[in-house]
Amino acid sequence: MQIRKLNDLATLVSLSKRRGFVFQSSEIYGGLGSCWDYGPLGSLMKLNVKRAWWNAMTRRSDICGLDAAILMHPTVWKASGHIDGFSDPLVDCKDCKTRFRADNTDSYINEKKCPNCGSKNLSEPRNFNLMFKTHMGPVEDTGSVVYLRPETAQGHFVNFVNCQASTRYKIPFGIAAIGKSFRNEITPGNFIFRTREFEQMEMQYFVKPGTDEQWFETWKELRWGFYKKFGFKMENLRFHPHGPTELAHYAKAAFDIQYLFPMGWSELEGIHNRSNFDLTQHSKFSGKQLEYFDEPSKEKYVPFVIETAVGCDRMFLAFMCDAYREEVTMDDKGQEDVRVVLGFHPAIAPIKAAVLPLSKKPELTSVAEKLRDQLAEDFDVLYDESASIGKRYRRQDEIGTPYCVTVDFETLNDQAVTVRHRDTMKQDRVPIADLNQYVQVGMASWK
Ligand code: GAP
């Protein structure tokens, strides 16, 4: 058998639409640039991605959760440096009207030429802020301007004292959050890789100054371990250290975890040593003390912050790319038979088990429907009675369902069903009464 991996995003975009993972936003109106909707399977899977991350963070005894508002006091963005520094230098071509980035367009950097028409009739680079602006309240004047947050992290900083005081956590401790962020990206694209509206999963870990470098290493290891635990092929991941020109304005040190997407190695997650930049800035702009008092040593200090930041949509895409495989065999006539499989870790798979009656005869479908309800007590399940059993197995393989449960005529006698495993295609006979536990145990011990 030959295994083919994913080699272009178009295959995934098409599968996503056909099977209900991801649709283009406002498709019936021609779509809206770089915005995407998660469909019946995608919305389930996205919840699973978030749950995996959330549990990895907040089930630790030293990390609490937070769900901060998207709209924040405008001074937050002054303090954070986003109003002054969160921008890209843009150049306009006066001939073909193309607008492009001055800092990553080769034809401009080398020859001061438009990448589209080659003209040299260009504007000077102008800084374009990536934050989306809107107005709060009925009057649209400069005093009512608010921003859609470009990162969730600032919610953590402004709530540092609230979280510490209410949990009574001692340093080192962390705050984790999942939420929408917005950036008016100049070059969005590659499906859900870079969009203008996206979800972030960010954790800020507050540490004593001087211990930050050690915690930075620890969080690099912990985040690497997360991808390993959820079944990523580790050869598709690597660390990329930020050089001095890549470092964000707040960062003392930074590493990306990059993933080998079909378009090449690209950032999946960032791990940053943000020093005490943010808390110091918010203290200065708000006039509030954002310090930590260490009782045993009677020391007062502004903590340093180690941040782990990943896009939920980007992690979703990485999970899909990594899980996709085509198993190719030759049939008797020498024709290729292709089994498309999304080999997700069961915690990530949108559907854990599919219930498939062997025929549409009521004596089988009535048992199968009851079994669907029994499994749905514990798992996201799907019922399918149309087409041949072989076709139905293939449909489930393509959406990554780990278990297919077939109700056959023998079931009426032995009260047992056949469970077929997605990856090995091996089959087991399991009593109906034990089925939920069988799936539970199988998922927990999945390798
Ligand atoms: N608080 C730090 C921060 O926001 P970042 O590297 O700008 O750092 C963190 O973003 C992560 O958020 C990225 O590694 C990426 O996974 C995700 N992300 C950033 N911009 C994105 C976009 N336009 N679309 C989708 N995901 C994005």
Side-chain angles (χ1 to χ4, degrees), residues 114-148:
C114 168
N116 185 44
C117 69
S119 164
K120 292 198 165 188
N121 189 13
L122 307 172
S123 75
E124 285 303 307
R126 275 179 304 216
N127 277 337
F128 174 81
N129 196 290
L130 301 184
M131 282 197 293
F132 277 98
K133 254 189 215 169
T134 186
H135 292 270
M136 198 150 188
V139 183
E140 290 199 6
D141 61 14
T142 48
S144 68
V145 167
V146 288
Y147 300 92
L148 303 189

Side-chain angles (χ1 to χ4, degrees), residues 150-151 153 183 185 192-195 198 200 202 250 267-270 272 274 307 309-311 314:
E151 62 171 12
R183 296 182 189 177
E185 299 279 5
I192 52 174
F193 177 82
R194 179 170 288 110
T195 53
F198 54 100
Q200 284 189 308
E202 297 201 278
Y250 50 75
E267 173 182 348
L268 169 58
E269 166 157 359
H272 310 124
R274 291 183 77 127
E307 167 184 79
V310 59
R314 207 173 276 186

Side-chain angles (χ1 to χ4, degrees), residues 93-316:
C93 172
K94 293 181 187 160
D95 289 335
C96 73
K97 312 294 177 215
T98 296
R99 180 173 272 191
F100 58 90
R101 273 176 65 167
D103 57 340
N104 70 358
T105 305
D106 287 342
S107 66
Y108 182 76
I109 294 169
N110 300 329
E111 302 172 78
K112 293 282 174 288
K113 269 170 125 178
C114 168
N116 185 44
C117 69
S119 164
K120 292 198 165 188
N121 189 13
L122 307 172
S123 75
E124 285 303 307
R126 275 179 304 216
N127 277 337
F128 174 81
N129 196 290
L130 301 184
M131 282 197 293
F132 277 98
K133 254 189 215 169
T134 186
H135 292 270
M136 198 150 188
V139 183
E140 290 199 6
D141 61 14
T142 48
S144 68
V145 167
V146 288
Y147 300 92
L148 303 189
R149 67 180 175 200
E151 62 171 12
T152 56
Q154 298 305 322
H156 304 57
F157 299 125
V158 300
N159 281 295
F160 164 70
V161 172
N162 285 337
C163 289
Q164 196 277 324
S166 58
T167 57
R168 289 179 289 108
Y169 281 172
K170 306 267 178 286
I171 273 184
F173 78 92
I175 303 176
I178 300 178
K180 290 267 184 177
S181 294
F182 301 82
R183 296 182 189 177
N184 201 358
E185 299 279 5
I186 312 305
T187 46
N190 287 321
F191 192 28
I192 52 174
F193 177 82
R194 179 170 288 110
T195 53
R196 296 192 171 110
E197 171 181 346
F198 54 100
E199 259 178 302
Q200 284 189 308
M201 307 193 283
E202 297 201 278
M203 193 281 302
Q204 322 300 131
Y205 201 72
F206 298 90
V207 306
K208 187 173 177 182
T211 65
D212 51 304
E213 288 176 15
Q214 185 193 328
W215 277 111
F216 184 63
E217 290 308 316
T218 303
W219 276 105
K220 272 170 61 191
E221 258 173 54
L222 287 168
R223 294 307 302 149
W224 188 258
F226 174 90
Y227 293 102
K228 200 163 177 193
K229 174 175 172 190
F230 286 98
F232 270 87
K233 297 178 192 78
M234 297 315 281
E235 66 272 20
N236 290 339
L237 290 166
R238 72 178 187 192
F239 278 115
H240 165 76
H242 280 208
T245 55
E246 283 173 283
L247 279 181
H249 60 275
Y250 50 75
K252 175 177 160 190
F255 266 78
D256 289 339
I257 295 182
Q258 292 187 333
Y259 180 77
L260 186 54
F261 289 97
M263 64 280 187
W265 287 102
S266 313
E267 173 182 348
L268 169 58
E269 166 157 359
I271 300 155
H272 310 124
N273 181 344
R274 291 183 77 127
S275 71
N276 58 6
F277 174 82
D278 304 88
L279 289 180
T280 306
Q281 285 291 99
H282 285 303
S283 200
K284 202 160 100 194
F285 279 75
S286 68
K288 301 279 183 316
Q289 296 265 316
L290 300 178
E291 291 175 326
Y292 176 76
F293 179 66
D294 184 52
E295 190 64 56
S297 66
K298 309 285 181 225
E299 257 183 293
K300 227 184 201 186
Y301 56 80
V302 180
F304 269 43
V305 170
I306 306 302
E307 167 184 79
T308 76
V310 59
C312 174
D313 314 75
R314 207 173 276 186
M315 193 189 279
F316 182 111

Side-chain angles (χ1 to χ4, degrees), residues 316-356:
F316 182 111
L317 181 63
F319 267 118
M320 287 201 97
C321 294
D322 213 62
Y324 185 94
R325 66 173 184 268
E326 293 175 6
E327 295 179 2
V328 187
T329 47
M330 289 296 173
D331 68 15
D332 310 341
K333 296 182 196 119
Q335 303 276 354
E336 268 192 0
D337 177 49
V338 182
R339 181 170 91 106
V340 175
V341 184
L342 282 176
F344 294 129
H345 186 290
I348 300 301
I351 300 294
K352 313 302 182 198
V355 179
L356 316 172

